[in-house]
Amino acid sequence: MPVECGNPLLLEWIKEWYDAARERNSKGATTYKMAYDSMRACPLAFSHPLEAQQLHGLGPKLCERLTEKLKLHCAENGLPMPEPPHTARKRQSGDVSIEQGPPKKPRKTKPYVPSLHSGPYALILALSIPEESSNGLSKSQTIELAQPHCDSSFTAPSDPTKFYTAWSSMKTLLEKDLVYERGRPSRKYALTEEGWEVAKRIQTTRGGPGKSDDMTKHGKGKPASGPDFDQFVNLEDDFDIDQAPVSKRNLAAISSASSHLHKSHSRSASPVNSRSHLSIPNTSQAHVSHTLASTESHPSGQQSSLDSFQPIRVPPGTFTVELLLDNREVRAKTDRDYIQDELTKRGVQPIVRSLELGDALWVAKCKDPSFLARHGEEGDEIVLDWIVERKRLDDLVGSIKDGRFHEQKFRLRKSGVKNVIYIIEEISMSQETISKYQEAVETAISSTQVVNGYFVKKTQKLDDTIRYLARMTMMLKSLYESKPLTLIPSSHLHPTTYLPLLSTLHSTHPFSITPTTFNITYPSFSSLASKSDSLTLRDVFLKMLMCTRGITGDKALEIQKHWSTPRAFVEAFEELGGGLADGGDKDKVNNEMEIGKRKRELVWSVAGGLVGRRKVGKAVSAKVAEVWGYGGS
């Protein structure tokens, strides 16, 4: 017999919030669903909403919202408001013998309202404009919609001596849970439930009581039902001009993308002028479907199909090839600018910054800083298909010993860069170290060339490396600056589908047939290559497995194929640990030894019969069992 809820009124209000959050595709829907299930299963009647904090899923913030809702309900129906639990307990204690002064008035928490024309004020207004949009807005879209409502610039600092812009206030909104972000590498921003409440208060103040529910104003006093608002679209949507039926609604959606990117108010603008339409032939459809089926499911709102998209064409002559150098690449602690100064002497002015991956790479820097912004992208740099990893011989030995060498190659492969160069500086080392690690170094270099397909360049000293980087920069300038670039829009990038997308593009548009390379912006590359920014559960599991000595990337991938998550892997060991025999101590000991043996051979039983680098021997399988199976013997 189902348990009857003891608080139907509170349950009804939670259900309303849950339905509203689900319609907006808000991440708060999970919280409300948990609170709704807990409240529905509770037979106890609460005298005050604050007592509901004892239930799973109902925290102080949600109980405060229920309290405010109950106050309005009592005021509308002429009912007395129940006292909070702590006040009622104080009155019931009845200790009135001690004289107390007048009770202090509790300080009422004021709801957050940003200052007029401030950064948070403009950002909340911008994110509240497309109320029907459930996928959020990108940074460039948010800035474009927010700038008319803010006195400060979102792109340039008001004080030349500082680096803060109005966009820095987005961090405040994220910390206050008024805005949440999702999606990598193209971040999307949307209002939370609390953010929508603040937006409503702002709109009430701006529009007066008669316009308090109008949440779709654009600019100052411009209604949302005009042509400018109709032209807003979510750039994640795919508009296939060749296949979509031509109707007024589709035409408006297609033209809106172009008008929003170019800041044009003409409905007749066409995205074909700025982006060349690219369709992958039908012969690759099966390959794409197979590749997607083998990858992880990606979140809603990300591109789910690779069959067509509209790349951004960057004409030749509109960019220059520049060398990016990691700021941790130094000659010595006391001589940090040596590499930069020597490159400058050779006619190459590098851009020094902290790189997420590699020690040097090359980008195409647009001469017009706003060129990519007009196409809905961030920054003004496009990553080229060349990256350098520099290793001194002693650093190479250290990275082999602690496992960084394999981890770096794993991230380089995941970055999608085609041309990876390993520069190894053969500095002098002690004879003892050379004799001890010579075989390991030679194996690592051979593996990098043969297995990974990376180019290895050996130099004798740092000056040789600098000369090589200078010559490479000159070569890439002559190779790229006279040819157009094809940029993949960030809205079509996702960590789980980026490599299949590149593989499909390279197989269907080879360089020998069409001199086209497919690139991405530097912010997107940094997000994809980040150690933590785009990590999925699968990546974390693989990194955890590779912490065990003897587990390489290939072996970890084979283990992950059979047990997709760490929990599934641990449960596989736990299933082998039950069922101790009833009987004497000898039977128990024998049973425990048998369980320990099965645990040590669990990984070997599924990967011991493979050939090549994926094979897992019994010794390595036993090491994995010690970590994941808790010994067992």
Side-chain angles (χ1 to χ4, degrees):
M1 184 176 179
V3 179
E4 186 177 351
C5 176
N7 307 274
L9 190 59
L10 301 182
L11 183 68
E12 180 184 349
W13 293 336
I14 296 177
K15 182 67 165 60
E16 291 177 3
W17 296 336
Y18 168 60
D19 291 339
R22 190 170 56 178
E23 288 175 3
R24 289 173 178 162
N25 196 21
S26 171
K27 68 175 184 178
T30 306
T31 305
Y32 290 126
K33 180 67 166 63
M34 193 184 306
Y36 177 78
D37 293 339
S38 299
M39 184 66 73
R40 185 176 59 178
C42 177
L44 301 177
F46 298 132
S47 60
H48 195 278
L50 293 179
E51 296 178 355
Q53 293 189 38
Q54 57 189 294
L55 299 180
H56 179 63
L58 281 94
K61 187 177 293 187
L62 185 55
C63 290
E64 285 292 339
R65 289 193 66 187
L66 289 171
T67 303
E68 294 297 326
K69 190 78 173 177
L70 183 61
K71 286 180 181 178
L72 293 175
H73 176 76
C74 293
E76 291 173 357
N77 296 276
L79 301 174
M81 178 65 188
E83 294 182 348
H86 58 86
T87 305
R89 281 198 297 270
K90 283 184 180 178
R91 293 193 177 183
Q92 289 173 5
S93 62
D95 190 5
V96 294
S97 59
I98 302 175
E99 280 193 19
Q100 298 181 358
K104 292 184 178 180
K105 267 191 174 182
R107 180 176 295 178
K108 189 175 181 181
T109 305
K110 293 183 178 180
Y112 175 75
V113 178
S115 303
L116 185 66
H117 298 314
S118 63
Y121 173 88
L123 290 172
I124 290 176
L125 277 182
L127 293 174
S128 67
I129 289 173
E131 187 174 12
E132 72 278 1
S133 174
S134 60
N135 291 324
L137 300 175
S138 65
K139 179 180 177 180
S140 57
Q141 290 174 307
T142 307
I143 288 176
E144 185 174 351
L145 294 173
Q147 190 61 72
H149 306 289
C150 184
D151 292 335
S152 303
S153 173
F154 280 89
T155 55
S158 55
D159 187 348
T161 62
K162 297 181 180 179
F163 299 97
Y164 298 104
T165 63
W167 178 256
S168 303
S169 56
M170 177 61 79
K171 183 179 179 182
T172 304
L173 299 180
L174 291 170
E175 291 174 350
K176 290 182 176 292
D177 288 331
L178 300 177
V179 175
Y180 69 94
E181 64 174 355
R182 62 182 175 188
R184 295 292 186 276
S186 55
R187 291 182 175 89
K188 298 285 184 178
Y189 299 90
L191 293 177
T192 61
E193 295 301 315
E194 292 80 5
W196 281 105
E197 294 297 327
V198 175
K200 288 180 181 178
R201 289 197 291 269
I202 293 176
Q203 291 288 354
T204 303
T205 306
R206 294 175 71 237
K211 301 180 181 179
S212 59
D213 295 330
D214 185 9
M215 294 296 298
T216 55
K217 290 195 174 186
H218 184 73
K220 298 181 179 180
K222 186 180 289 186
S225 58
D228 291 335
F229 185 81
D230 291 339
Q231 290 182 351
F232 174 82
V233 294
N234 183 4
L235 294 184
E236 284 187 347
D237 295 337
D238 228 358
F239 298 104
D240 196 334
I241 303 174
D242 297 331
Q243 299 176 3
V246 179
S247 63
K248 290 184 178 180
R249 188 180 186 89
N250 288 338
L251 186 60
I254 294 171
S255 63
S256 65
S258 177
S259 62
H260 199 72
L261 292 172
H262 295 279
K263 300 181 181 180
S264 170
H265 299 286
S266 173
R267 191 179 281 265
S268 62
S270 172
V272 179
N273 296 331
S274 59
R275 294 187 180 185
S276 56
H277 186 72
L278 175 66
S279 296
I280 296 174
N282 294 331
T283 54
S284 64
Q285 295 282 340
H287 169 72
V288 176
S289 302
H290 172 74
T291 308
L292 283 177
S294 63
T295 58
E296 297 175 289
S297 60
H298 45 277
S300 60
Q302 297 291 344
Q303 189 66 26
S304 60
S305 175
L306 302 182
D307 56 354
S308 66
F309 72 95
Q310 297 173 347
I312 303 171
R313 185 179 181 275
V314 184
T318 61
F319 60 88
T320 58
V321 174
E322 303 291 343
L323 171 64
L324 295 191
L325 190 66
D326 189 68
N327 56 11
R328 290 159 289 192
E329 291 299 302
V330 297
R331 184 185 188 185
K333 290 183 179 179
T334 56
D335 192 5
R336 305 186 66 89
D337 297 331
Y338 179 79
I339 299 178
Q340 181 180 355
D341 294 341
E342 289 298 312
L343 284 170
T344 304
K345 292 177 183 177
R346 288 170 171 78
V348 177
Q349 183 65 48
I351 302 173
V352 181
R353 68 175 63 150
S354 177
L355 300 181
E356 291 287 349
L357 182 63
D359 298 318
L361 58 88
W362 287 268
V363 298
K365 191 173 184 66
C366 297
K367 295 179 179 178
D368 181 6
S370 62
F371 176 81
L372 294 180
R374 292 198 300 269
H375 293 79
E377 301 293 331
E378 296 182 25
D380 60 349
E381 296 171 345
I382 302 169
V383 177
L384 303 179
D385 262 343
W386 297 82
I387 192 169
V388 170
E389 184 71 35
R390 171 180 168 249
K391 293 284 185 188
R392 293 196 319 177
L393 203 55
D394 55 348
D395 183 32
L396 177 61
V397 171
S399 63
I400 293 173
K401 290 166 62 177
D402 60 19
R404 286 184 294 114
F405 184 66
H406 296 289
E407 190 263 347
Q408 286 172 346
K409 290 199 295 183
F410 174 76
R411 291 175 58 214
L412 283 168
R413 182 175 63 179
K414 189 180 173 185
S415 70
V417 178
K418 290 173 58 179
N419 304 290
V420 179
I421 302 173
Y422 263 85
I423 298 180
I424 302 198
E425 296 177 5
E426 297 178 324
I427 63 171
S428 59
M429 297 176 63
S430 64
Q431 189 62 34
E432 180 184 356
T433 305
I434 293 176
S435 59
K436 185 176 181 180
Y437 295 104
Q438 182 176 4
E439 186 177 349
V441 169
E442 291 178 352
T443 302
I445 293 175
S446 301
S447 170
T448 302
Q449 291 175 304
V450 178
V451 178
N452 302 110
Y454 299 156
F455 178 75
V456 176
K457 170 68 176 177
K458 292 184 179 180
T459 60
Q460 297 298 320
K461 53 187 178 180
L462 178 59
D463 290 336
D464 295 341
T465 302
I466 294 173
R467 280 195 293 269
Y468 181 76
L469 291 176
R471 290 197 301 268
M472 279 293 300
T473 304
M474 297 302 178
M475 185 270 290
L476 293 177
K477 279 180 174 289
S478 62
L479 179 65
Y480 281 97
E481 289 185 352
S482 60
K483 297 177 182 177
L485 295 179
T486 304
L487 183 66
I488 303 175
S490 298
S491 59
H492 288 261
L493 299 177
H494 189 263
T496 58
T497 59
Y498 174 54
L499 291 182
L501 174 62
L502 282 183
S503 176
T504 304
L505 291 173
H506 290 152
S507 62
T508 55
H509 297 78
F511 187 84
S512 58
I513 299 175
T514 306
T516 303
T517 58
F518 300 94
N519 310 94
I520 59 177
T521 62
Y522 180 77
S524 298
F525 174 81
S526 298
S527 182
L528 287 170
S530 173
K531 288 185 178 181
S532 58
D533 224 18
S534 60
L535 281 182
T536 62
L537 177 60
R538 176 177 179 268
D539 298 331
V540 174
F541 186 27
L542 292 174
K543 290 168 74 72
M544 293 168 69
L545 289 171
M546 291 171 65
C547 291
T548 304
R549 183 178 293 274
I551 296 294
T552 62
D554 296 312
K555 291 180 174 63
L557 285 170
E558 194 62 36
I559 295 173
Q560 198 269 338
K561 286 181 182 177
H562 291 83
W563 299 281
S564 57
T565 63
R567 180 174 180 177
F569 196 37
V570 172
E571 288 176 349
F573 283 103
E574 291 177 348
E575 290 174 0
L576 301 175
L580 288 177
D582 295 330
D585 294 338
K586 185 176 180 180
D587 294 334
K588 291 184 178 180
V589 170
N590 292 336
N591 198 14
E592 288 178 358
M593 291 178 63
E594 179 63 25
I595 291 172
K597 181 181 178 182
R598 293 204 302 266
K599 285 186 175 182
R600 290 192 298 271
E601 296 180 353
L602 176 63
V603 178
W604 172 81
S605 64
V606 298
L610 302 174
V611 294
R613 301 169 62 86
R614 297 181 299 160
K615 181 179 179 179
V616 179
K618 286 189 176 182
V620 176
S621 178
K623 288 181 181 179
V624 174
E626 290 177 5
V627 177
W628 295 86
Y630 312 105
S633 57

